[in-house]
């Protein structure tokens, strides 16, 4: 296949063409996905909860999508519910399990200090309700070890929540190995797979109890995702004992009430199909751009943040020597669109909590820049011009 080039045009003072390098924040909706979404908005617009023919066709479409998406992670269709995205999925998983922990006296939770705020903030809420939350730090590699998790495990450990791929560094966490280790214990494993779903597919087919998925990281529309909750054969096929945090309507096993967004669901399934079919090309093209970036920036002085032996090919976190990250964003805004961290926190101009947890000093953690891309959106990036721009930001230029 051939990837189509997509350039995001931002009208600035010079009318420049800006290369979009912030795919970890969100991706452009694939045109093939957009066509599917539009079809289910205008031609097949029934409510999947209605009992007439329009509703029946919508329901059938949703169930086909559910079956396909569940299969991508080795789950059964009735083990997947649709949500508005990974943030909601994380909240259902974490807050929905809390009543069970309270009833059974299992109030210990293990997580990492590098999680997304969509995990950290619900856990802060649970800490206020009397749960004890252990925050593991990864060290310079940005990778949490399975041994570190297992060493903290206790009889009252209810849950381990560990992200699949870090959204700032791209470092892949050992969730597959951890799932195998935890399967012999009563402790549940939740994985925020917003950044990893579709990109490191094999990891998620392992026996992870709960997986949060977000569509807009793989070319689907914003506002749709899923939560997978696997049964455990070791526990007589019992479901994860989640309780709803929203009420009204009874949809999605009462865990996510509300009218199903059929067009978005169909778009999510189509995006996942495309990503699966074209994964080899995506991987190669993403790695090629990574190599071009690193080679082209070799004339500058920078540090790559995170373990490069365990990293996705489309996310690169760099700290340039003597280059202020905010100055980079402002000065080079007509050339590239990059981020200083998570899109949910980068507007606050605070040091990255991820880089701080990796042991970087506060000043260095403030200078990390995240480059992330979808192959085809940055094929004509002028890396030499980018390198010249970085050089101009150094003191004394």
């Amino acid at each position: 296949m051939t990837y189509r080039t997509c350039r995001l045009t931002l009208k600035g003072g010079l009318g420049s063409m800006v290369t979009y390098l912030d795919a970890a924040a969100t991706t452009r909706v694939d045109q093939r996905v957009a066509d599917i979404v539009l079809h289910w908005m205008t031609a097949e617009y029934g409510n999947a909860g209605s009992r007439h023919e329009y509703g029946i066709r919508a329901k059938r479409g949703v169930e086909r999508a559910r079956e396909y998406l569940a299969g991508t992670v080795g789950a059964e269709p009735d083990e997947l519910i649709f949500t508005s995205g990974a943030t909601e999925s994380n909240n259902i998983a974490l807050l929905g399990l809390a009543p069970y922990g309270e009833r059974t006296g299992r109030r210990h939770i293990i997580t990492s200090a590098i999680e997304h705020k969509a995990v950290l903030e619900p856990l802060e809420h649970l800490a206020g309700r009397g749960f004890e939350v252990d925050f593991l730090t990864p060290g310079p590699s940005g990778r949490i070890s399975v041994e570190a998790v297992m060493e903290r495990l206790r009889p009252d450990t209810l849950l381990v929540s560990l992200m699949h791929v870090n959204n700032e560094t791209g470092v892949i966490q050992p969730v597959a190995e951890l799932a195998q280790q935890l399967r012999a214990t009563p402790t549940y494993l939740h994985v925020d797979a917003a950044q990893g779903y579709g990109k490191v597919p094999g990891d998620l087919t392992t026996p992870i109890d709960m997986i949060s998925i977000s569509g807009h990281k793989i070319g689907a529309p914003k506002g749709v995702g899923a939560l997978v909750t696997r049964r455990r054969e070791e526990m007589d096929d019992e479901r994860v004992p989640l309780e709803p945090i929203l009420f009204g309507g009874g949809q999605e096993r009462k865990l996510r009430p509300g009218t199903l967004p059929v067009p978005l669901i169909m778009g999510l399934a189509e995006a996942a199909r495309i990503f699966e079919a074209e994964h080899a090309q995506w991987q190669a093209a993403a790695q090629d751009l990574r190599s071009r970036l690193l080679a082209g920036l070799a004339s500058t002085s920078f540090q790559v943040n995170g373990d490069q032996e365990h990293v996705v090919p489309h996310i690169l976190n760099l700290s340039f020597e003597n280059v202020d990250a905010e100055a980079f964003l402002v000065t080079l805004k007509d050339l590239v669109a990059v981020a200083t961290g998570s899109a949910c926190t980068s507007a606050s101009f605070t040091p990255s909590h991820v880089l701080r947890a990796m042991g970087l000093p506060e000043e260095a953690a403030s200078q990390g820049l995240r480059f992330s891309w979808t192959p085809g959106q940055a094929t004509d990036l002028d890396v030499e011009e980018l390198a010249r721009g970085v050089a101009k930001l150094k003191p004394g230029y």
Side-chain angles (χ1 to χ4, degrees):
M1 63 160 283
T2 301
Y3 280 97
R4 294 187 292 263
T5 298
C6 173
R7 298 296 298 271
L8 176 64
T9 303
L10 299 179
K11 292 184 178 179
L14 299 177
S16 305
M17 296 293 287
V18 181
T19 301
Y20 186 74
L21 295 176
D22 199 18
T26 196
T27 58
R28 177 183 65 89
V29 174
D30 188 289
Q31 185 59 55
R32 293 164 290 182
V33 173
D35 292 342
I36 291 290
V37 172
L38 184 62
H39 171 80
W40 287 91
M41 281 183 168
T42 58
E44 296 283 0
Y45 49 84
N47 186 326
S50 298
R51 299 177 64 182
H52 48 62
E53 185 60 27
Y54 289 88
I56 291 170
R57 289 201 298 269
K59 183 177 180 179
R60 287 173 180 164
V62 167
E63 293 315 309
R64 288 196 303 272
R66 191 190 310 275
E67 181 177 8
Y68 175 76
L69 290 165
T72 63
V73 294
E76 296 298 322
D78 67 349
E79 294 175 325
L80 182 146
I81 65 169
F82 291 107
T83 68
S84 63
T87 294
E88 184 181 18
S89 297
N90 292 341
N91 275 263
I92 294 172
L94 301 174
L95 302 182
L97 191 60
Y100 175 76
E102 291 167 333
R103 289 195 306 272
T104 59
R106 294 168 59 193
R107 295 171 176 262
H108 181 234
I109 298 172
I110 301 171
T111 189
S112 81
I114 61 171
E115 298 300 308
H116 192 277
K117 295 295 185 182
V119 166
L120 294 177
E121 291 188 6
L123 290 180
E124 288 173 7
H125 172 78
L126 291 181
R129 285 170 52 175
F131 284 79
E132 180 184 351
V133 185
D134 267 344
F135 295 93
L136 303 178
T137 54
S141 71
R143 185 171 160 91
I144 302 293
S145 72
V146 173
E147 292 75 20
V149 175
M150 300 305 292
E151 285 172 4
R152 298 287 186 96
L153 212 63
R154 305 184 331 204
D156 65 336
T157 304
L158 172 68
L159 175 73
V160 174
S161 184
L162 188 65
M163 67 191 346
H164 185 202
V165 171
N166 185 264
N167 52 294
E168 292 191 28
T169 64
V171 172
I172 304 167
Q173 304 301 321
V175 295
E177 183 183 349
L178 183 59
Q180 298 291 352
Q181 294 281 331
L182 290 176
R183 207 63 173 178
T185 78
T187 299
Y188 294 103
L189 174 62
H190 165 251
V191 171
D192 177 357
Q195 294 291 347
Y197 176 72
K199 286 123 181 177
V200 194
D203 283 357
L204 301 179
T205 58
T206 55
I208 299 167
D209 297 298
M210 294 183 283
I211 302 172
S212 298
I213 295 168
S214 192
H216 72 105
K217 311 296 186 181
I218 59 167
K222 300 172 185 67
V224 66
L227 174 65
V228 174
T229 58
R230 280 195 179 88
R231 300 183 188 86
R232 280 198 183 188
E233 295 178 3
E234 300 87 346
M235 296 182 179
D236 298 323
D237 282 341
E238 287 188 7
R239 293 185 184 276
V240 180
L242 297 179
E243 294 189 12
I245 60 174
L246 295 172
F247 301 89
Q251 293 92 340
E252 299 301 273
R253 303 203 326 263
K254 298 186 178 180
L255 287 174
R256 207 286 181 173
T259 302
L260 289 171
V262 178
L264 300 184
I265 288 169
M266 301 307 290
L268 172 60
E270 182 66 13
R273 287 191 186 95
I274 291 169
F275 222 97
E276 182 177 42
E278 300 176 0
H279 184 265
Q281 297 98 315
W282 174 88
Q283 183 91 7
Q287 186 61 54
D288 178 67
L289 180 54
R290 186 186 197 87
S291 299
R292 280 210 301 127
L293 264 173
L294 289 172
L297 294 172
S299 60
T300 68
S301 181
F302 60 84
Q303 171 182 313
V304 182
N305 298 313
D307 181 356
Q308 297 305 288
E309 294 298 316
H310 300 91
V311 69
V312 287
H314 70 295
I315 298 177
L316 182 63
N317 194 293
L318 303 178
S319 295
F320 292 97
E321 184 179 1
N322 296 322
V323 172
D324 181 79
E326 293 305 321
F328 181 104
L329 293 185
V330 173
T331 306
L332 300 180
K333 62 182 175 63
D334 292 327
L335 179 61
V336 290
V338 301
T340 54
S342 166
C344 299
T345 57
S346 60
S348 62
F349 304 122
T350 57
S352 161
H353 75 280
V354 172
L355 300 184
R356 287 290 282 146
M358 290 166 57
L360 273 69
E362 183 171 339
E363 183 176 354
S366 300
Q367 306 313 328
L369 288 159
R370 181 186 68 188
F371 298 76
S372 55
W373 53 89
T374 298
Q377 291 186 337
T379 52
D380 52 354
L381 170 65
D382 190 335
V383 183
E384 292 182 359
E385 184 180 356
L386 178 60
R388 289 192 295 270
V390 172
K392 291 178 181 178
L393 291 172
K394 292 180 178 292
Y397 175 80

